[in-house]
Structure formats: C-alpha cells, structure tokens
C-alpha cells in the first residue's frame, strides 16, 4: 500500500535486486512520478501502488527525474510506452545521460578509467536496468516552480555534487523534500552486499546540498534509498553525511601528511582498508578523488597530473 506523506503525495516501495528504493507519486491535475526507477519498476511495483490509489500507469503524465542515474531514469521508456503523452522533466546537465545510455556510461565511468576499469558485468547490468531511453521534454531550472494543479507546487533546487544536474524537489504545501540521491549519510545500505560508498564528485557541492536540506523547512524527507524520514531522522542523516565527509577528509590528510605523496589508487586502497564496510567500485574512486581535490582546494596539498594524479602534502 502506498504511504501517504501529505494530501495527494505518496511513496511506493520499489526495491530492485538488493537495493532499497522509494518512488514518489503526486496526484494533482497532473499525475506525476518522481524517479520511476529501473526498467522493471513501473510494471512490477509502481502499477500495483497506483492501482491502490485508483490510478494506472497510463494516467501518469509527468515524470520528474532528480538526476541521470540508471536507477532513477531507467523506468522512463516503460512509462512512455504506457502513456505516449508523458512529459519527462530533468535538469539540462543530466539530460544527455538520461537520453543516451552510451553517453551516460562514457561520461560517468570514463574519467575513472585511469584508476578503475568496470567489469563487463557492471556495464551490462546498467544497460539492462536502463531499458529504452526517451527524450527529456522540458529542462528544469534552479528556482523554478512546477505546478501540478490542485495546490501541488514543487520548488526545484539545483544541487550538483552527486551528479552535475541533480535537483531536489520541495513540495511547498506538504513541506515534503525529495532528495533523490543527494542525501547519502554513510552510503546506501544494500541488503546482501557491502554498502555503496557515498558518491560525489565535489565536496563543496555536496556540502551545499546538505546546507539546503538543513535549511529548506522540510517536515518529511523522501529519500530514494533510505526510506521516508521525519525531519528529525533527516537531520540525523545530514549529520551523518557531514561526519562521513569530515572523517574521510581527516583520514586522507593524515595519510598524506605521513606519506608525503599519495596516488589516487593508494588513497582509495587506504580508505577501503580503514572502512571495510565498503567495496571497490566507481563511487569510492570518484568520491576519494573529490576528497583529494578538496585537500588541494583548502591549500593542504598540490596535485601533479602526469602520468596520472599524484597528491603531495604541502601544508
Ligand atoms: Zn544516483
């Protein structure tokens, strides 16, 4: 049964594989879905939840995509097949990924190539979960309001960090915040594997999204992978996110001070050894790179780029 978060605002449980996930539905004059999940989500979970609300997939006319990751846009093609008049809305910076899986894989994993090569099973799985991609019909701008009718107005906040085009939505009347993947705490808990490491390409951008979440006045926080939270629980996850950032930053600073120089793979290996709850993968390689770059930003380190990134302690 969908969980009601506010009048006309619902969460539907949509776990896929061993990844917990929530999909959100807003019923105004438009019927909107926030992040329709992976290719199986619409027909496997969303349809059943909508049915409980007296609705069908064909009645969903708006898809709001928080960001261009496969578990957030992979259901778009199936949604569009059920309603050819469906509009897909996303931020310009992630639209290219949402519309083109090859480009998504090339641009999200390509920069990691010197440090981590995805096994074929990794990219095959992502392609499978994406299904058919469809065009983004409308580009979302920071600060705009989406009016779904019957008093359902969503403020759009551009919060890069997890991806360049990540947006959060704030339901003004219900004071419900939809964070997508930008509220990460100590990572995404999985049911049968080590947790996903928090995934961000810029520490300062990630901190800015946390600042927004803390200040937006949300009474209910709808995350993608960490359930629906009270404001109190949301504040705890914001605090956990900051503890994660500071903990890794202090650890890497100490390592670098001690060693003098560190390559990015050495830094990743050290983090994985210190935090065995995580495993090797794109998230930890990307985020540790962001942490090392942040040590450069704050003046503690210098980065040498040839042949690949080496960081030198200078503070
Ligand atoms: Zn994501």
């Amino acid at each position: 049964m969908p969980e009601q978060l506010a009048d006309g605002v619902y969460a539907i449980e949509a776990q896929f594989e061993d990844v917990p996930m929530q999909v959100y539905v807003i019923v105004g004059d438009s019927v909107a879905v926030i992040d329709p999940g992976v290719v199986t989500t619409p027909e496997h979970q969303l349809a059943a939840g909508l049915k409980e609300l007296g609705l069908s997939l064909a009645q969903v006319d708006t898809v709001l995509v928080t960001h261009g990751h496969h578990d957030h846009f992979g259901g778009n093609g199936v949604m569009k097949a059920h309603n050819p008049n469906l509009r897909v809305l996303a931020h310009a910076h992630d639209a290219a990924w949402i519309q083109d899986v090859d480009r998504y894989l090339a641009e999200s994993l390509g920069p990691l190539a010197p440090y981590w090569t995805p096994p074929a099973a990794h990219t095959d799985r992502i392609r499978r979960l994406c299904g058919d991609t469809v065009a983004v019909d409308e580009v979302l701008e920071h600060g705009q309001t989406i009016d779904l009718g019957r008093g359902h107005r969503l403020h759009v906040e551009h919060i890069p960090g997890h991806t360049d085009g990540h947006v959060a939505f704030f339901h003004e009347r219900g004071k419900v915040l939809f964070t997508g993947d930008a509220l990460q705490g100590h990572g995404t808990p999985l049911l049968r594997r080590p947790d996903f490491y928090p995934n961000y390409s810029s520490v300062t951008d990630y901190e800015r999204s946390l600042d927004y979440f803390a200040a937006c006045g949300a009474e209910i926080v709808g995350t993608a992978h960490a359930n629906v939270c009270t404001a109190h629980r949301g504040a705890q996850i914001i605090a956990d996110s900051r503890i994660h950032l500071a903990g890794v930053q202090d650890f890497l600073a100490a390592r670098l001070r001690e060693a003098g120089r560190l390559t990015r793979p050495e830094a990743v290996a050290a983090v994985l050894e210190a935090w065995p709850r995580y495993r090797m993968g794109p998230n930890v390689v990307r985020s540790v790179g962001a942490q090392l770059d942040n040590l450069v930003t704050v003046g503690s380190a210098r980065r040498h780029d040839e042949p690949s990134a080496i960081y030198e302690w200078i503070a």
Side-chain angles (χ1 to χ4, degrees):
M1 189 66 193
E3 178 182 355
Q4 182 166 329
L5 313 186
D7 184 33
V9 183
Y10 304 90
I12 295 174
E13 282 248 3
Q15 180 189 326
F16 68 98
E17 299 171 347
D18 63 349
V19 183
M21 192 168 68
Q22 303 285 327
V23 173
Y24 297 97
V25 178
I26 300 169
V27 186
D29 294 324
S30 275
V31 179
V33 165
I34 298 178
D35 290 346
V38 298
V39 65
T40 52
T41 307
E43 290 178 348
H44 286 197
Q45 289 115 333
L46 192 50
L50 287 168
K51 195 174 174 198
E52 304 265 9
L53 302 173
L55 294 165
S56 69
L57 288 174
Q59 285 170 277
V60 176
D61 59 16
T62 305
V63 160
L64 306 170
V65 185
T66 59
H67 67 291
H69 280 161
H70 54 279
D71 49 331
H72 297 259
F73 71 77
N76 285 4
V78 176
M79 298 298 294
K80 188 95 175 179
H82 282 269
N83 181 1
N85 296 319
L86 180 87
R87 295 181 309 151
V88 176
L89 283 65
H91 192 274
H93 282 153
D94 281 12
W97 291 7
I98 292 166
Q99 297 176 127
D100 182 346
V101 176
D102 288 332
R103 188 158 167 190
Y104 163 44
L105 290 170
E107 292 184 0
S108 62
L109 300 179
L112 308 180
Y115 319 105
W116 182 75
T117 309
H122 181 89
T123 46
D124 289 351
R125 172 178 171 272
I126 290 176
R127 283 182 192 284
R128 194 173 64 245
L129 293 173
C130 284
D132 295 332
T133 52
V134 298
V136 170
D137 300 293
E138 201 179 306
V139 162
L140 294 170
E141 308 260 359
H142 174 71
Q144 86 175 75
T145 301
I146 302 165
D147 192 342
L148 299 169
R150 299 191 209 169
H152 292 287
R153 291 161 56 85
L154 293 173
H155 164 81
V156 176
E157 186 80 10
H158 180 213
I159 45 163
H162 182 73
T163 63
D164 288 350
H166 198 300
V167 294
F169 299 109
F170 185 70
H171 187 276
E172 294 171 353
R173 188 177 65 193
K175 295 195 170 24
V176 183
L177 170 68
F178 301 99
T179 63
D181 280 358
L183 180 56
Q184 306 185 72
H186 293 290
T188 303
L190 302 176
L191 304 175
R192 293 188 294 273
R193 289 176 286 169
D195 295 352
F196 278 140
Y197 195 86
N199 188 359
Y200 45 87
S201 54
S202 156
V203 171
T204 46
D205 283 347
Y206 185 26
E207 286 173 331
R208 264 188 229 115
S209 28
L210 298 173
D211 292 343
Y212 170 69
F213 296 153
C216 71
E219 291 177 1
I220 296 169
V221 181
T223 74
H225 304 293
N227 293 316
V228 176
C229 305
T230 60
H232 179 68
R233 177 70 193 124
Q236 286 177 331
I237 304 177
I238 293 169
D240 284 347
S241 306
R242 297 193 201 279
I243 288 166
H244 160 82
L245 285 172
V248 176
Q249 194 76 93
D250 290 350
F251 171 81
L252 287 174
R255 273 299 168 105
L256 191 52
R257 194 185 309 118
E258 192 184 293
R261 289 161 81 93
L262 270 184
T263 66
R264 189 154 147 189
E266 287 167 348
V268 169
V271 166
L272 288 174
E273 195 188 344
W275 281 275
R277 64 189 287 186
Y278 306 114
R279 61 175 183 155
M280 185 61 175
N283 294 11
V284 67
V285 177
R286 186 178 296 112
S287 302
V288 167
Q291 291 272 9
L292 290 166
D293 286 341
N294 196 51
L295 287 174
V296 176
T297 303
V298 300
S300 300
R302 184 182 297 136
R303 175 175 151 159
H304 305 271
D305 278 329
E306 294 300 329
S308 68
I310 296 172
Y311 295 83
E312 181 190 359
W313 183 258
I314 55 167

